[in-house]
Amino acid sequence: QVQLVESGGGLVQAGGSLRLSCAASGRTFSSVPIGWFRQAPGKERELIARINWYGSLTNYADSVKGRFTISRDNAKNTVYLQMNSLKPEDTAVYYCARGSNYYSTKLDDFDSWGQGTQVTVSS
């Protein structure tokens, strides 16, 4: 079983950057795809980035494409989300989760959710 813990959130001005980390425990981490999600108040949780087990495949939602970069270091059991050019609309709680496979996009295809980390972007 994989347990995930997010960190790195905070308050940042528009145009700024943050790097989120998703630290995992469990021997199977390096063999699983990971997704980053976010949920803004009053909105549904949305998948914004995903990465395959090796780090060779990534995919992004249109809303973050070109600004966010997902990566992983399996030796450190960690997946990262580098967020640049942040906008107020990026304000949300960010979560990472394990996907059943790289092509998983539905929430039901993910488990081992972390507790989330708050990102607030001020204008």
Side-chain angles (χ1 to χ4, degrees):
Q1 185 69 11
V2 174
Q3 293 182 320
L4 305 175
V5 177
E6 303 93 340
S7 63
L11 174 63
V12 64
Q13 289 188 333
S17 298
L18 283 174
R19 188 177 79 159
L20 305 184
S21 297
C22 172
S25 61
R27 296 181 178 180
T28 60
F29 172 78
S30 62
S31 64
V32 299
I34 297 292
W36 276 102
F37 293 75
R38 67 184 181 187
Q39 187 167 20
K43 294 188 177 181
E44 293 184 351
R45 191 170 298 190
E46 62 170 334
L47 176 64
I48 57 171
R50 64 184 196 266
I51 189 166
N52 70 335
W53 69 274
Y54 189 65
S56 58
L57 296 175
T58 59
N59 188 271
Y60 301 91
D62 288 343
S63 57
V64 306
K65 195 174 296 182
R67 299 187 298 123
F68 291 10
T69 302
I70 188 171
S71 62
R72 68 191 298 161
D73 185 339
N74 286 339
K76 296 182 178 179
N77 278 6
T78 302
V79 172
Y80 303 98
L81 186 68
Q82 178 67 43
M83 306 187 298
N84 299 327
S85 302
L86 283 162
K87 305 175 181 179
E89 51 263 44
D90 294 319
T91 295
V93 178
Y94 284 70
Y95 302 88
C96 60
R98 179 184 65 171
S100 58
N101 64 77
Y102 170 71
Y103 298 99
S104 302
T105 59
K106 298 179 181 180
L107 265 64
D108 289 345
D109 294 332
F110 289 83
D111 63 11
S112 302
W113 293 89
Q115 84 290 348
T117 185
Q118 176 71 48
V119 171
T120 303
V121 184
S122 63
S123 57

